[in-house]
Amino acid sequence: MEFLSWKAEDGVAIVTIHRPPANALAQQLIRELDELLNEIEQNDDVRVVLLHGEGRFFSAGADIKEFTSLSSPDQAAALAENGQTVFNRIEAFPKPVIAAIHGAALGGGLELAMSCHIRYVAEDAKLGLPELNLGIIPGFGGTQRLPRYVGTAKAAEMIFTGEPITGIEAVEWGLANKAVPQEELLGQALKLAKKIAKKSPVSLKSAIHALQYSKASFEDGLKAEAEQFGIVFQSEDAKEGIQAFIEKRQPTFSGK
């Protein structure tokens, strides 16, 4: 695989995202993630998955340059649905998935982290959904998962402003399980993963399945999100926001 690698250690699959400099979630990376899940699911020696990013970030978001190839609402909605499908699979994966987040988990990176069962964060990590800064909205489940963790009001603030919160704030808000110094992050997350790996695979699978029923009308919310993601992509503001990001300048939104 080009952007993902993994190794096994004491029943834990340590999965590394390596797409420098920002570990942006290109469609190829998401496809590779789906393929890797197939491999890990069939490996009986793996009981827990630990996901982390190589370099400076967990993942700084989707690959914005890919957005410039989307020429219709249907294409944009399809891109959102593809990401949602893989992230939904992570949430329902029969083996626990832990995200170890350092640097930044922004946009699609945070949506990926939120699909994991447990999140450990570096204290100074930045977590946010900045899509409205580009004139678009989250499309990989962000509008549906974030309110589950932090409540509707805080989710609205994060999404509307696009401003990130720190790892410490993420724990205080219920978005993450534990915040630790960055140098301790991977070790602490791996310690947790190995502890969980000693549990019965059968009971872990059943517990994950039961936890899925804690959601209400989640699928309807995802469908609505993908539809709106497609609609917003035909706006002039979306084109301006994406182009401004690529050109490294501030966007000027017209409201069209």
Side-chain angles (χ1 to χ4, degrees):
M1 292 183 174
E2 184 177 0
F3 302 129
L4 295 172
S5 62
W6 76 282
K7 63 179 181 179
E9 183 176 324
D10 297 333
V12 179
I14 304 172
V15 178
T16 304
I17 304 170
H18 50 84
R19 188 172 185 256
N23 291 331
L25 299 180
Q27 290 303 291
Q28 175 62 29
L29 193 157
I30 291 175
R31 285 191 293 269
E32 289 183 12
L33 183 56
D34 195 35
E35 294 170 6
L36 186 58
L37 291 173
N38 286 336
E39 185 177 348
I40 291 175
E41 186 170 3
Q42 296 167 13
N43 190 322
D44 292 337
D45 293 330
V46 172
R47 297 187 176 185
V48 179
V49 180
L50 174 59
L51 180 64
H52 75 110
E54 183 178 74
R56 295 174 56 200
F57 305 109
F58 175 77
S59 172
D63 189 336
I64 305 302
K65 292 181 180 178
E66 289 189 341
F67 289 176
T68 61
S69 66
L70 302 173
S71 59
S72 72
D74 288 344
Q75 287 184 349
L79 181 144
E81 288 167 353
N82 287 339
Q84 289 179 0
T85 297
V86 177
F87 291 2
N88 286 352
R89 183 179 181 193
I90 294 171
E91 187 171 55
F93 200 62
K95 302 176 182 185
V97 183
I98 300 170
I101 303 164
H102 77 288
L106 301 173
L110 179 56
E111 289 172 308
L112 170 59
M114 287 193 294
S115 71
C116 299
H117 302 117
I118 294 172
R119 283 160 295 285
Y120 269 29
V121 294
E123 293 173 338
D124 60 352
K126 300 296 184 184
L127 295 82
L129 296 175
E131 285 87 349
L132 266 71
N133 294 335
L134 278 66
I136 58 175
I137 66 169
F140 292 165
T143 65
Q144 304 305 300
R145 286 192 174 91
L146 186 59
R148 279 205 247 142
Y149 298 120
V150 305
T152 304
K154 284 187 169 64
E157 180 181 347
M158 288 181 67
I159 292 171
F160 295 168
T161 67
E163 295 178 358
I165 60 174
T166 66
I168 291 175
E169 288 173 319
V171 173
E172 293 173 349
W173 288 22
L175 182 55
N177 297 73
K178 186 175 184 179
V180 299
Q182 181 172 327
E183 62 271 19
E184 299 177 16
L185 175 64
L186 197 55
Q188 292 264 10
L190 184 57
K191 181 180 179 180
L192 174 69
K194 290 181 178 181
K195 181 177 182 179
I196 295 173
K198 295 178 181 179
K199 308 299 182 183
S200 160
V202 175
S203 60
L204 285 171
K205 181 178 180 180
S206 292
I208 290 169
H209 182 74
L211 282 168
Q212 300 309 300
Y213 286 90
S214 65
K215 305 187 296 285
S217 302
F218 184 61
E219 295 302 322
D220 289 342
L222 285 176
K223 183 178 179 180
E225 178 185 270
E227 289 174 350
Q228 292 304 311
F229 187 81
I231 290 170
V232 76
F233 251 90
Q234 67 184 330
S235 71
E236 293 299 321
D237 279 354
K239 295 174 184 177
E240 164 64 10
I242 292 167
Q243 193 62 36
F245 179 89
I246 293 171
E247 295 175 358
K248 295 181 172 58
R249 61 175 173 80
Q250 289 295 315
T252 300
F253 295 128
S254 65
K256 299 179 181 179

